[in-house]
Every structure is written in structure tokens, then in C-alpha cells.
Amino acid sequence: MALIIVKKSPANKLSEFLLKLALPQDKVIFIQDGVIFAIEKNLKGLVKEGVELFALKEDFIARGFEESESQIPLIDYEGWADLIERDEKTIS
């Protein structure tokens, strides 16, 4: 299992590449400008089934979004730290 950290917006090709790397049972967290992915309605279609998706709440709110707009779970820094501790490797 891996934790994949996406920090660039959906317009960035690196973000798309990182999402294609995700395998079932991996986790993806969107941070910085990557949180823009959290408002996309077809986000689940961008990754394989079985990949868990999260967005960093503080970054999401800092970009002017309301929590209710997120299509995926929002987590805080403590939740992010928990993900890092649980996964075998991190890809960013």
C-alpha cells in the first residue's frame, strides 16, 4: 500500500500521472492546489476502484471552498500524519 500525495492542480500533467500510479488499496491525499480535485464530480472515475481519496481540509478551505463542496472526505493535519504512519511508502 502506498500514500500518493498530489499537490498540483488538475491542469498539471504530474497530477494526472500520479493518479494513474494509484493501485487498489492505495490512498491519495490532495494538498495545496491539488485540493481542487475534491470538487470534481467524476473524481472516482479518475482512479482505479479501491483507491481511497482524501483532501487536506485546511488547504481546501484556504482556497475559498466550503466543506460541503468536497466530493471526498476532508482530513486535518493529524489525519494526514496518521496516513503517513500507516502506509508502507509515500509517493509525491
Side-chain angles (χ1 to χ4, degrees):
M1 293 190 315
L3 173 63
I4 299 171
I5 301 170
V6 177
K7 35 187 164 172
K8 303 289 184 183
S9 76
N12 189 293
K13 294 289 184 192
L14 179 59
S15 297
E16 184 180 319
F17 174 76
L18 288 170
L19 290 175
K20 287 181 181 178
L21 289 178
L23 299 173
Q25 299 183 16
D26 285 346
K27 294 172 189 69
V28 174
I29 183 167
F30 299 99
I31 65 169
Q32 298 173 359
D33 286 341
V35 299
I36 296 168
F37 276 101
I39 62 168
E40 292 195 7
K41 301 234 185 283
N42 67 344
L43 183 57
K44 298 278 185 180
L46 295 175
V47 294
K48 294 176 183 79
E49 191 168 328
V51 175
E52 289 186 72
L53 304 172
F54 304 93
L56 190 61
K57 181 178 176 179
E58 289 83 353
D59 286 351
F60 191 75
I61 292 170
R63 279 152 183 82
F65 298 113
E66 298 288 329
E67 288 182 48
S68 61
E69 293 178 89
S70 182
Q71 303 296 312
I72 59 175
L74 298 174
I75 61 173
D76 59 15
Y77 283 104
E78 187 175 326
W80 183 13
D82 289 343
L83 291 177
I84 291 170
E85 288 177 355
R86 284 186 281 169
D87 288 305
E88 297 169 9
K89 59 184 167 181
T90 301
I91 302 168
S92 177

